């Protein structure tokens, strides 16, 4: 399926999904921790993109950046809808939830930045900085030298920082 | 061949993970002090890793995307078809709720497409009233004041489906959607509750489209609050 847009390349949904679908699904699954809801969000993302395709300007952002920006809003909507659902629990549960509360926007920003990394870069950052594994443990598990994991992680963090700077500097809400 | 930048990356990554040996720590400090840009970069990456650790983050890579791509293609094809049919019929503008409802309805279409191979879309059903799978706009008349009801119907092999939106219904009150046959037989498509927000839903009745001549939305006293006479099939 193709749509015209103001550029040399049309918005081809199948191609766009093949190039970005897995990353978008990873983003949604990890943000929502609910696979069926995440799939609905990815589907809604492409629906919104399809409807807004005439407004997409590749001179301003890549197709991937555009799709992730749409997905961010879709996932936020889903999170807000879920937050309105009643939660069964006692006072201790509520206090615990309040204490553990993390700014959902901050969490989404970080997950989005992880989602757009290459698989190798994401593996490095997740293993070392989320799961606390050492470079030697990674090397033992994969056969890749620890020095390679070190430099890979450094470049992954650089890429992560660059993406965060891009999303935090943008006020765009393409819905 | 390793460059000075490679060595910096190696040492900085180890420092960020707290894995520098004593000798590496000295080398790292020398490099950092000698270059303000590197010192600044390290500080930024250090702050970033703290954000990662504080963000309640985990990451699980999904196994695969399954048939999601095919379902998305099918839903978009369906949406295009619905909009085209509306344009051709010159009917009133499509209400915004219908599009997601139609997209959701396309899950079944996606499964069929999946059997025929990825990227191959089923043709979008279209045609006169009673065409299987085609979305048929119906003219709804409101019989009660203060409400707005909009609807489409879809003929299926298993019965008739209604896409319904209703606003202004009494909050909390129960309403039933009923299809009426040519012989006066009644076929319930289910019940809804009035809400402060627009009610958007899909409902199904066990009556074939060609056997249904009327659709009614009734309250619990069986008073018709909105109805639509369905075109003859």
């Amino acid at each position: 399926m193709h749509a015209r847009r103001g550029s040399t390349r049309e918005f081809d949904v199948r191609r766009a999904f093949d190039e970005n679908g897995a990353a978008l699904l990873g983003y949604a699954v990890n943000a929502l921790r609910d696979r069926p809801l995440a799939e609905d969000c990815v589907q809604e993302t492409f629906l919104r993109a399809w409807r807004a395709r005439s407004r997409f300007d590749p001179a301003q952002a890549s197709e991937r950046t555009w799709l992730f920006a749409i997905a961010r809003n879709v996932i936020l909507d889903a999170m807000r809808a879920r937050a309105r659902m009643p939660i069964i629990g006692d006072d201790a549960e509520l206090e615990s939830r309040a204490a553990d509360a993390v700014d959902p926007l901050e969490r989404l920003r970080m997950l989005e930045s992880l989602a757009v990394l290459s698989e190798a870069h994401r593996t490095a950052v997740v293993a070392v900085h989320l799961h606390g594994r050492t470079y030697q443990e990674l090397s033992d598990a994969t056969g890749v030298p620890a020095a390679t994991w070190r430099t890979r992680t450094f470049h992954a963090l650089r890429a992560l920082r660059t993406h965060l700077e891009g999303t935090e500097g943008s006020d765009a809400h393409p819905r | 061949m390793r460059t000075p930048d490679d060595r910096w990356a190696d040492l900085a990554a180890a420092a960020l993970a707290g894995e520098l040996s004593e000798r590496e720590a000295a080398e790292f400090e020398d490099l950092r002090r000698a270059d303000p840009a590197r010192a600044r970069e390290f500080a930024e990456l250090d702050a970033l890793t703290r954000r990662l650790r504080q963000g309640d983050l985990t990451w699980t890579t999904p196994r695969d995307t399954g048939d999601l791509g095919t379902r998305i293609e099918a839903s978009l094809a369906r949406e295009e078809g619905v909009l085209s049919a509306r344009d051709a019929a010159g009917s009133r503008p499509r209400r915004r709720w219908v599009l997601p409802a139609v997209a959701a309805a396309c899950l079944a279409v996606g499964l069929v497409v999946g059997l025929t191979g990825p990227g191959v879309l089923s043709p979008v059903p279209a045609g006169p009233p009673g065409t299987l799978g085609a979305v048929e706009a119906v003219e709804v008349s409101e019989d009660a004041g203060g409400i707005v009801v909009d609807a489409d119907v879809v003929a299926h092999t298993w019965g008739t489906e209604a896409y319904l939106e209703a606003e202004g219904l009494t909050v909390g009150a129960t309403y039933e959607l009923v299809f009426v046959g040519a012989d006066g037989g009644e076929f319930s498509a289910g019940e809804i509750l009035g809400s402060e927000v627009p009610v958007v839903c899909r409902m199904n009745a066990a009556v074939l489209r060609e056997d249904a001549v009327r659709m009614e939305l009734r309250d619990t006293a069986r008073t018709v609050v909105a109805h639509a006479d369905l075109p003859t099939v």
Side-chain angles (χ1 to χ4, degrees):
Chain A
M1 181 176 298
H2 302 271
R4 182 179 301 282
R5 72 179 191 194
S7 176
T8 54
R9 195 163 76 149
E10 292 180 330
F11 181 56
D12 178 332
V13 170
R14 171 51 74 174
R15 177 195 47 72
F17 182 84
D18 289 344
E19 292 177 1
N20 304 292
L24 287 165
L25 184 61
Y27 175 34
V29 163
N30 284 284
L32 297 162
R33 295 171 184 167
D34 180 332
R35 170 82 187 226
L37 183 57
E39 290 194 6
D40 287 349
C41 284
V42 174
Q43 183 162 349
E44 177 66 15
T45 296
F46 278 91
L47 275 170
R48 291 190 190 182
W50 175 252
R51 292 171 191 154
R53 62 195 183 278
S54 62
R55 299 197 297 274
F56 170 55
D57 181 0
Q60 292 191 353
S62 71
E63 186 176 86
R64 189 176 183 83
T65 299
W66 177 58
L67 287 169
F68 266 91
I70 295 171
R72 192 185 314 144
N73 287 319
V74 173
I75 292 169
L76 263 178
D77 288 346
M79 292 170 75
R80 288 180 182 130
R82 193 165 61 181
R84 288 194 289 270
M85 303 278 283
I87 298 171
I88 299 173
D90 55 18
D91 290 347
E93 163 105 9
L94 288 174
E95 285 171 16
S96 168
R97 282 178 180 276
D100 293 343
V102 173
D103 178 0
L105 289 176
E106 164 72 358
R107 184 169 165 272
L108 267 190
R109 273 193 294 269
M110 301 306 283
L111 286 172
E112 179 181 330
S113 299
L114 286 171
V116 299
L117 292 179
S118 69
E119 184 67 37
H121 278 178
R122 185 168 51 244
T123 298
V125 171
V126 168
V128 175
H129 291 288
L130 296 189
H131 298 164
R133 300 183 71 179
T134 66
Y135 292 115
Q136 190 56 52
E137 286 172 343
L138 264 178
S139 177
D140 293 343
T142 61
V144 175
T148 302
W149 281 114
R150 283 185 175 190
T151 52
R152 189 176 287 176
T153 305
F154 179 81
H155 292 295
L157 290 171
R158 269 186 172 171
L160 200 63
R161 182 191 54 175
T162 300
H163 182 80
L164 277 171
E165 286 172 352
T167 57
E168 289 169 347
S170 169
D171 293 323
H173 292 281
R175 302 182 64 124
Chain B
M1 180 179 165
R2 286 172 69 80
T3 66
D5 281 345
D6 289 338
R7 185 58 178 158
W8 165 248
D10 184 17
L11 292 171
L16 290 167
E19 292 189 26
L20 287 174
S21 67
E22 200 169 318
R23 182 189 294 176
E24 286 176 330
E27 185 182 357
F28 169 73
E29 284 304 325
D30 286 346
L31 287 174
R32 184 164 65 159
R33 288 196 186 113
D35 188 337
R38 282 179 171 164
R40 189 165 53 248
E41 177 176 52
F42 180 78
E44 289 173 1
L45 296 183
D46 188 39
L48 174 59
T49 58
R50 274 186 271 116
R51 284 174 71 179
L52 281 168
R53 287 192 295 272
Q54 292 169 359
D56 183 31
L57 298 176
T58 58
W59 185 273
T60 305
T61 301
R63 273 194 320 281
D64 56 49
T65 55
D67 65 351
L68 182 56
T70 304
R71 281 161 40 201
I72 289 169
E73 279 191 306
S75 67
L76 295 181
R78 182 66 173 258
E79 176 169 328
E80 272 208 312
V82 170
L83 293 173
S84 299
R86 284 273 180 160
D87 291 344
S91 55
R92 55 182 163 175
R94 179 142 215 91
R95 301 178 74 121
R96 58 186 165 75
W97 66 269
V98 176
L99 299 178
V102 171
C106 287
L107 292 180
V109 175
L111 293 176
V112 174
V113 171
L115 295 175
T116 60
V120 182
L121 295 177
S122 300
V124 178
T131 302
L132 289 175
V135 177
E136 178 190 342
V138 296
E139 289 298 325
V140 179
S141 300
E142 288 85 3
D143 302 292
I147 68 167
V148 178
V149 179
D150 196 11
D152 300 288
V153 297
V154 181
H156 295 293
T157 54
W158 63 83
T160 303
E161 182 177 20
Y163 298 160
L164 184 75
E165 180 185 24
E167 295 179 60
L169 298 176
T170 302
V171 176
T174 299
Y175 297 86
E176 182 181 24
L177 187 71
V178 177
F179 283 95
V180 181
D183 61 356
E186 296 186 353
F187 304 87
S188 176
E191 294 179 334
I192 57 173
L193 290 172
S195 173
E196 292 174 348
V197 298
V199 175
V200 178
C201 61
R202 295 181 299 152
M203 308 173 85
N204 286 277
V207 58
L208 294 176
R209 173 64 186 87
E210 59 262 36
D211 295 330
V213 298
R214 184 176 166 90
M215 187 176 72
E216 295 181 351
L217 186 65
R218 302 171 178 168
D219 63 17
T220 50
R222 294 181 57 81
T223 302
V224 177
V225 298
H227 75 275
D229 291 317
L230 305 180
T232 303
V233 174

